Amino acid sequence: MRDSLDILRGRHDPLPEQTGAALRGLLTELADGALVDLLGDPGPGIALVAVGGYGRAQPAFGSDLDLVLLHDGSRPDVSTVADTVWYPLWDAGVGLDHSVRTIDEAIGVADDDLRAALGLLDVRHIAGDADLVRTLTRRARDRWRTRAPKRLPELAAAVAERAERLGEVAFLLEPDIKESRGGLRDLAALHALAAAWVAEVPSARVLAAAEVLLDVRGEIRRIHAGRAEDRLLLQDGSGVAVALGYPDSMALAHAVADAGRTISWAWDATWYRTAAGLRSTSRWRSRRPVRRPLDEGVVEQDGEIQLALDVDPGQDPALVLRVAAAAARTGLPLGRFAVDRLAREAPAMPDPWPPAALDTLVALLATGPAAIGILETLDQVGLLVRLLPEWAAVRSRPQRNPYHRFTVDRHLIETAARAAAFTRDVDRPDLLLIGALLHDIGKGYPGDHTEAGIEQVRRIGPRLGLPAADVDVLIAMIRHHLLLGESATRRDIDDLATIQAVATAADNDRTLTLLHLLTEADSRATGPTAWNAWKARLIGDLVTRARALLGGEGVPCPPRLDERQRALLALTPEHVVQVNPLPDEGMFEIVVVTDDQVGLLAITAGILALNRLDIRRASARSAHGRALLQAAVATQHGHLPERDRLLADLRAALAGSLDIARRLADRERDYAGVRQWTTPGPPQVSFDDLGSATVAEVRAPDRAGVLFRIVQALSALRLDVGTAIVATLGLDVVDAFYLREADGSPVTDPARQAEIARTVLRALGTEVAVDDGEVAHPASAVSGL
């Protein structure tokens, strides 16, 4: 028995070949056997029962045993019997959620405690008086059903609270397999609805999704030696994947995301129907249902979207889209019978689509956020892939970084929903919406996702019925969907070369406008850090300048030194530091004026890093022996820049009494133990020759003082850094430096570029051999939204 208890704890694992349902069965058998041995034959009027997850025979290593010692109130020795069970379990270190109760006491506790009530829905007899257990089972379920109008809203509120607090299994980097939305707790909630006789038992597809999560949870617990860990940590992904037979951790994450979406969708759909039933004053119809026509073959009945009586889904491939568009337009849910019939009978769309079908798809997407849930339903029953076969490649595909909030397919839907807000701002809203829906479709295919997406759209566009000219616009949108974001945040928008590159790529005002709106929709759908007022202003200014160039107007680029900069350079104090608020929330301009000297930008960058200020853009100008540095910085956690401290640090650094490199290294050591979401890749350096200057783009893991180390390395090479632009992308920073040699010429010699790359990588702690002529082009180091 002791060995069995050690196995249950997870401290000893003699079952390495057992996984999944087989492992759960063996653990249940071991637990049951140990408990039967402990209880023995207690005689009549007493029984040991399992409840909750153990009652469902779903234990994992280290799971608490949820037990109730049930008695009929006539046994004076019940406490002694309980001690014979509880104490050996405690001594063995087995987690225990236990109670000793009569049937009336158990029902009374359940009346006041939702979790206890749910536990009693999964009562399983282990040993003792079986009649007593049957009575408890019957009474607990009867009580649950009779109190359903009160308990089920309480259950739904608990599901919603967990979703708000813990996020979704499908979209988290490290989901809680049990507690997050779409996890095992939600499956238990679905079973509870069925136990109340207000819904059917979960479908085979939902139960299969639950098996995926149960299997994963079992291996998580095995890896952690029975410790109470239910999150799928990134560091554990490969081990769990190998144990369960997945090709790699990405395939495992894909399966988990798909399972989570299946369970969360099943809960949403089931609870909607349940809540509607609870609100109904009568279960019986007093009259025939009213069917209000909404579209060809589509009606509203009893507050749901249903099919007309005479419609034949098998002969009407566009019916799915009309049903979906009507639901999104009216805000009514898709009726279950309509969805089931469409899933059974709807054919694949012909090639090309009927002309009206494309219009209906655009109308559906134009409803914005209302379309998200409808498209999710179509996806869950297989209709979205039937409409668009290429969707299968991105379906539930994880993106596996903290920058992206959603799986690829959900990101596409969210982007289209965001784009719907801009349909009045463009002359071709249909192309904006379709481009938003398809802009990352290439992420489901090998190779560069932009190039793969272009190939898919070459096939999809004509199939949708779009003319060749419209397909060309969609291809341009996909080819350049990262252009504005990257150009505005990684290049100098005051540089004519940047503006010309954007104007040339867009080619015309229509495409430029579509790219502008797609960029905002894409960023807003990516995650909370992907769009802000600062980025919006940079992109807006860049688009305005590119539009002027396309229209043959003069490009409004500022001069090398404007009046304010000349006035700042003329200030007489030896060292000047200013802190000026910017119009973007949480952003400030830091101005430094001092005598010109090599390495001043590096010193300033280091001081700002020590003061916990995130540099977004920094520029350096000089005249008559004086240097002007301007940096746009973002503050952390409401921390405001302190001018006096910045000035003191500047003076100390210039005097040689402040060792910036050592201070930054100390801070890095302080944070060395902080767990990262994932392991960032090694630093990369690439070059882009713009004619008047050379841009060195450095992508590196984000850590304290990265900009300082890079600029310090560039200064050591006697390079003039005119502008530094910093963008954060997930765990990386992407810094762009406008470089010139000391004589003002661009850095075009491959050997010199290789020397720069080696020096920068060495400064970042990476020893990488870079041969002359083998430096990277920017495209090889860029990862987009």
Side-chain angles (χ1 to χ4, degrees):
M1 183 185 71
R2 185 74 187 195
D3 288 344
S4 296
L5 296 178
D6 283 346
I7 293 170
L8 293 172
R9 276 200 63 193
R11 64 170 66 170
H12 174 49
D13 179 12
L15 313 169
E17 303 302 320
Q18 299 293 338
T19 62
L23 176 61
R24 293 190 291 279
L26 285 172
L27 291 176
T28 301
E29 183 179 334
L30 287 170
D32 288 358
L35 291 169
V36 168
D37 289 344
L38 289 172
L39 185 65
D41 182 6
I46 198 165
L48 187 63
V49 298
V51 299
Y54 179 38
R56 294 189 294 273
Q58 294 174 347
F61 286 116
S63 294
D64 288 352
L65 297 182
D66 295 334
L67 298 170
V68 177
L69 188 64
L70 196 66
H71 64 100
D72 62 5
S74 66
R75 295 284 299 261
D77 61 342
V78 65
S79 295
T80 301
V81 174
D83 289 346
T84 64
V85 177
W86 308 152
Y87 276 97
L89 295 175
W90 287 330
D91 291 343
V94 173
L96 194 60
D97 189 348
H98 66 291
S99 60
V100 179
R101 293 185 177 120
T102 64
I103 293 177
D104 287 341
E105 289 170 343
I107 298 299
V109 169
D111 282 347
D112 297 325
D113 185 331
L114 177 64
R115 188 165 182 174
L118 294 174
L120 292 183
L121 297 178
D122 295 302
V123 169
R124 184 169 60 84
H125 173 262
I126 294 177
D129 191 334
D131 288 339
L132 201 60
V133 178
R134 281 191 286 269
T135 301
L136 174 63
T137 301
R138 175 180 54 78
R139 286 190 55 187
R141 288 180 167 263
D142 287 348
R143 187 66 169 170
W144 179 254
R145 285 191 291 271
T146 58
R147 303 195 71 202
K150 175 181 183 297
R151 301 316 297 267
L152 297 187
E154 187 181 352
L155 173 66
V159 171
E161 186 276 331
R162 279 189 293 99
E164 177 68 24
R165 178 166 47 89
L166 297 170
E168 298 198 41
V169 165
F171 305 135
L172 290 167
L173 275 175
E174 295 184 330
D176 188 314
I177 299 298
K178 184 177 180 180
E179 301 285 349
S180 294
R181 172 172 159 83
L184 295 171
R185 287 268 189 219
D186 286 1
L187 178 72
L190 285 167
H191 281 295
L193 296 182
W197 292 359
V198 297
E200 294 183 354
V201 297
S203 68
R205 183 164 174 265
V206 173
L207 295 178
E211 287 293 306
V212 170
L213 299 187
L214 284 167
D215 294 352
V216 170
R217 181 179 181 238
E219 294 310 308
I220 293 171
R221 289 297 187 91
R222 190 199 297 269
I223 286 174
H224 289 273
R227 188 162 51 83
E229 178 62 79
D230 292 322
R231 289 178 302 156
L232 177 57
L233 304 178
L234 287 170
Q235 67 200 41
D236 298 335
S238 296
V240 174
V242 169
L244 295 178
Y246 291 95
D248 51 36
S249 62
M250 180 62 80
L252 171 70
H254 195 161
V256 168
D258 196 48
R261 291 177 72 180
T262 297
I263 292 172
S264 62
W265 174 80
W267 167 261
D268 287 344
T270 306
W271 173 247
Y272 179 88
R273 292 193 297 270
T274 300
L278 293 174
R279 289 191 298 268
S280 176
T281 57
S282 173
R283 291 177 179 264
W284 305 100
R285 299 185 188 279
S286 58
R287 53 185 174 78
R288 296 182 62 184
V290 176
R291 302 171 68 85
R292 180 169 67 93
L294 297 175
D295 203 337
E296 182 184 352
V298 185
V299 300
E300 174 195 351
Q301 178 181 324
D302 293 335
E304 293 184 333
I305 301 296
Q306 296 289 359
L307 303 182
L309 294 175
D310 58 350
V311 73
D312 183 357
Q315 301 300 315
D316 189 352
L319 179 61
V320 171
L321 287 169
R322 294 201 302 276
V323 167
R329 184 175 66 250
T330 60
L332 297 173
L334 293 171
R336 173 187 167 191
F337 297 108
V339 170
D340 289 349
R341 189 176 177 195
L342 288 171
R344 287 194 310 269
E345 301 179 28
M349 293 291 283
D351 186 359
W353 283 21
L358 178 59
D359 293 339
T360 307
L361 173 62
V362 171
L364 169 61
L365 298 178
T367 61
I372 295 173
I374 304 302
L375 290 169
E376 182 75 12
T377 295
L378 298 187
D379 176 70
Q380 288 294 324
V381 299
L383 288 169
L384 196 50
V385 170
R386 211 172 301 175
L387 292 169
L388 195 65
E390 293 79 4
W391 200 259
V394 296
R395 189 177 182 280
S396 294
R397 185 179 181 85
Q399 310 217 49
R400 300 308 297 276
N401 64 64
Y403 193 60
H404 286 86
R405 178 182 175 190
F406 297 110
T407 53
V408 176
D409 56 339
R410 181 59 177 269
H411 171 69
L412 293 175
I413 292 172
E414 293 278 343
T415 302
R418 299 282 189 171
F422 307 134
T423 53
R424 294 186 177 182
D425 301 326
V426 64
D427 67 339
R428 289 297 303 272
D430 55 335
L431 294 180
L432 174 63
L433 294 169
I434 295 170
L437 186 68
L438 300 177
H439 76 280
D440 271 346
I441 196 71
K443 285 188 174 179
Y445 298 87
D448 178 77
H449 84 276
T450 297
E451 294 302 322
I454 289 170
E455 290 305 309
Q456 297 307 314
V457 169
R458 290 190 199 279
R459 291 190 284 269
I460 295 171
R463 192 195 320 141
L464 296 179
L466 290 169
D470 288 352
V471 175
D472 288 343
V473 174
L474 285 180
I475 288 174
M477 291 175 68
I478 291 173
R479 186 185 303 280
H480 302 301
H481 73 278
L482 302 175
L483 175 69
L484 293 178
E486 291 179 352
S487 298
T489 59
R490 304 188 198 175
R491 295 293 181 266
D492 185 356
I493 66 171
D494 293 338
D495 190 335
L496 182 59
T498 301
I499 302 166
Q500 288 174 330
V502 169
T504 300
D507 186 56
N508 58 76
D509 185 70
R510 168 182 286 169
T511 303
L512 181 62
T513 301
L514 289 168
L515 287 173
H516 187 189
L517 300 177
L518 173 60
T519 299
E520 180 169 350
D522 185 12
S523 298
R524 289 184 179 276
T526 294
T529 64
W531 189 257
N532 52 46
W534 167 255
K535 185 174 181 179
R537 184 156 59 86
L538 287 177
I539 291 175
D541 288 348
L542 178 58
V543 168
T544 297
R545 296 171 185 183
R547 181 171 288 119
L549 197 62
L550 287 171
E553 305 172 20
V555 178
C557 291
R560 192 184 76 84
L561 288 174
D562 59 27
E563 290 185 11
R564 176 171 178 258
Q565 290 166 337
R566 285 195 293 271
L568 288 169
L569 283 165
L571 293 174
T572 56
E574 182 182 5
H575 307 303
V576 176
V577 173
Q578 295 180 356
V579 176
N580 303 312
L582 288 172
D584 312 299
E585 183 178 359
M587 296 285 293
F588 292 85
E589 178 198 41
I590 307 297
V591 174
V592 174
V593 183
T594 190
D595 291 339
D596 196 8
Q597 58 186 281
V598 174
L600 185 57
L601 180 58
I603 290 172
T604 305
I607 290 170
L608 295 178
L610 289 176
N611 283 269
R612 304 181 188 278
L613 299 172
D614 293 334
I615 301 174
R616 299 292 172 80
R617 176 189 175 102
S619 63
R621 291 170 172 82
S622 62
H624 310 300
R626 295 281 279 175
L628 165 66
L629 287 87
Q630 294 168 278
V633 303
T635 61
Q636 298 180 3
H637 313 299
H639 170 73
L640 299 179
E642 299 179 28
R643 175 195 168 279
D644 292 344
R645 179 174 175 179
L646 291 171
L647 180 57
D649 285 349
L650 175 66
R651 287 171 173 161
L654 292 175
S657 60
L658 175 62
D659 189 339
I660 296 174
R662 183 184 60 79
R663 289 271 300 276
L664 289 173
D666 289 345
R667 176 175 297 175
E668 218 166 71
R669 282 193 295 273
D670 290 342
Y671 286 90
V674 177
R675 182 172 59 85
Q676 296 287 334
W677 285 106
T678 185
T679 302
Q684 297 172 309
V685 181
S686 60
F687 293 86
D688 191 7
D689 297 320
L690 302 180
S692 60
T694 298
V695 176
E697 187 169 283
V698 182
R699 181 165 187 161
D702 189 8
R703 59 183 190 175
V706 168
L707 182 60
F708 165 73
R709 289 178 174 85
I710 297 171
V711 179
Q712 189 179 47
L714 296 173
S715 298
L717 294 172
R718 313 298 296 182
L719 290 162
D720 176 23
V721 182
T723 302
I725 299 171
V726 179
T728 302
L729 197 66
L731 296 176
D732 286 349
V733 290
V734 184
D735 296 348
F737 303 92
Y738 279 68
L739 303 180
R740 292 181 179 85
E741 296 286 8
D743 62 2
S745 63
V747 186
T748 56
D749 179 27
R752 178 64 161 162
Q753 291 183 356
E755 179 189 17
I756 293 169
R758 284 193 296 267
T759 303
V760 168
L761 292 173
R762 193 175 301 119
L764 295 173
T766 303
E767 294 292 340
V768 178
V770 180
D771 296 330
D772 297 355
E774 292 188 4
V775 293
H777 185 273
S780 68
V782 170
S783 173
L785 298 178

